[in-house]
Amino acid sequence: MASTKDWFESVAEAERRARRRLPSSVYRALIAGAERGDSSADNLAAFRELGFIPRIATGLTSPPDLTTSVMGTELSMPVLVSPVGVQAVHPDAEVAVARASAEAGIGMGLSSFASKPLRDVAAANPSTFMQVYWMGGRERVAEILEGARQGGARGIILTLDWTFAHRRDSGSPAIPERYDLKTRLRLAPQVVTKPAWLIDFYRAGGPPALTVPNMARGGGEPPGFFTAYGEWMMTPQPSWGDIAWMREQWDGPFMIKGVAHPDDARHAVSVGATAISVSNHGGNNLDGTPASIRLLPGVLAAVDGEIEVLLDGGIRRGSDIVKALALGARAVMSGRAVLWGLAANGRPGVTNVLEIFRAGMQETLTGLGRQTIRDVVAEDVLIPGSFRPEVGRPLAWRSPETHRA
């Protein structure tokens, strides 16, 4: 189906439409990576190094089956929406994403820094997993977990792959602390050139709020973004003992997001996590970390099937998802692609992106002669040596500078 006014046929087209619609500072915040952006670029480059070995005359008579389960939740395809905060790309923000993902039969992660309350998002998609950080110490974490429980979260995603206070998102604009007159005058030149974005927000009541409702204390007023951000960044890093304690406080599904090292994967198993996500936070944390999919084989070898392993980073098409599954991931998480769909066309745009993923997976499986996603194996993919590291040994990887020519 060719692209039309209300439909785009690729995630790349969704990004182009998002760029045309969004103020430049909002768009730059979506695409930025830490420091030089090497990790962000490698998340994409690594997928290009993986090739398929197609089969012919396979006799497949029906569309391939994509159904699976993650952390006890049945999914129509092996995809979760990755939690992304400050979704200022559309006034409906996380609620639109929740409705579209529920219609698609998949789950979603909701950021602690989301603009919509968990109860509203979980009402739109009961398979909502609340993403949390270690912040403020055990008493504060217990309060956050209770809020997640009361708000209807299906499970918890503990994010540990975002640790820099100042070097994250190199090249992206600063988030304003408040929309006062000075801020509005400074942003006016880029906003007035994007009337559709501006009109959408004013129809919904005004510019996006810079508060985080899911971080409110004791049912009080939501704190400002920077108040919550400061509390988190001033909290010392947790130990594995802290994470084990946290796991004891939550009796449902519990994912640890941001695993890169095999030893950390083993620790996740030892504290009783339900799942882990191999992630470099979209290239927004320690720049120079290889692409998530390069790290995947080493993590899988370390846990040896004792825990569900997901892949987060660089997903732009259904064939990327099949590559991750072939290397051993149970499912993938996607953030940027979904937000581009949201920016391009609201809730229908998110649906559009998810259908691109679905169709791409089915077409790829058909080309491989596989009836279900559970039939995909590593032998379906040409895998460079850098994707098969010995557990615990340094990874050989190529700087993505060569991919920017």
Side-chain angles (χ1 to χ4, degrees), residues 85-108:
V86 196
Q87 293 187 8
V89 302
H90 191 277
D92 293 337
E94 296 88 1
V95 172
V97 175
R99 289 172 177 157
S101 56
E103 290 171 356
I106 65 171
M108 69 171 285

Side-chain angles (χ1 to χ4, degrees), residues 361-392:
M361 279 187 281
Q362 290 181 327
E363 291 163 2
T364 302
L365 290 176
T366 299
L368 295 174
R370 300 300 185 186
Q371 186 62 64
T372 78
I373 58 169
R374 293 172 292 282
D375 298 331
V376 177
V377 293
E379 287 72 21
D380 291 322
V381 181
L382 290 169
I383 307 173
S386 63
F387 288 78
R388 295 182 179 274
E390 294 182 34
V391 178

Side-chain angles (χ1 to χ4, degrees), residues 36 38 41-42 45 49 294 396-404:
R36 293 194 310 178
D38 285 350
D42 196 46
E49 295 176 25
R294 296 189 199 276
W397 75 298
R398 192 157 47 108
S399 170
E401 291 293 334
T402 56
H403 297 285
R404 298 176 180 170

Side-chain angles (χ1 to χ4, degrees), residues 4-23:
T4 66
K5 178 179 178 293
D6 297 316
W7 178 268
F8 41 84
E9 60 180 348
S10 70
V11 171
E13 176 63 18
E15 182 185 0
R16 286 191 290 269
R17 294 188 187 193
R19 184 172 188 172
R20 290 197 299 267
R21 189 177 183 86
L22 296 175

Side-chain angles (χ1 to χ4, degrees), residues 200-259:
D200 280 348
F201 271 98
Y202 273 95
R203 282 176 175 169
L210 293 177
T211 58
V212 283
N214 297 305
M215 291 291 99
R217 287 179 176 270
E221 290 297 313
F225 174 87
F226 283 97
T227 298
Y229 185 88
E231 179 186 12
W232 164 46
M233 292 309 303
M234 294 302 292
T235 303
Q237 291 287 301
S239 67
W240 281 106
D242 291 322
I243 297 170
W245 169 85
M246 187 176 181
R247 179 64 178 113
E248 292 173 355
Q249 312 310 304
W250 184 266
D251 59 3
F254 188 95
M255 177 193 292
I256 297 176
K257 179 178 179 291
V259 174

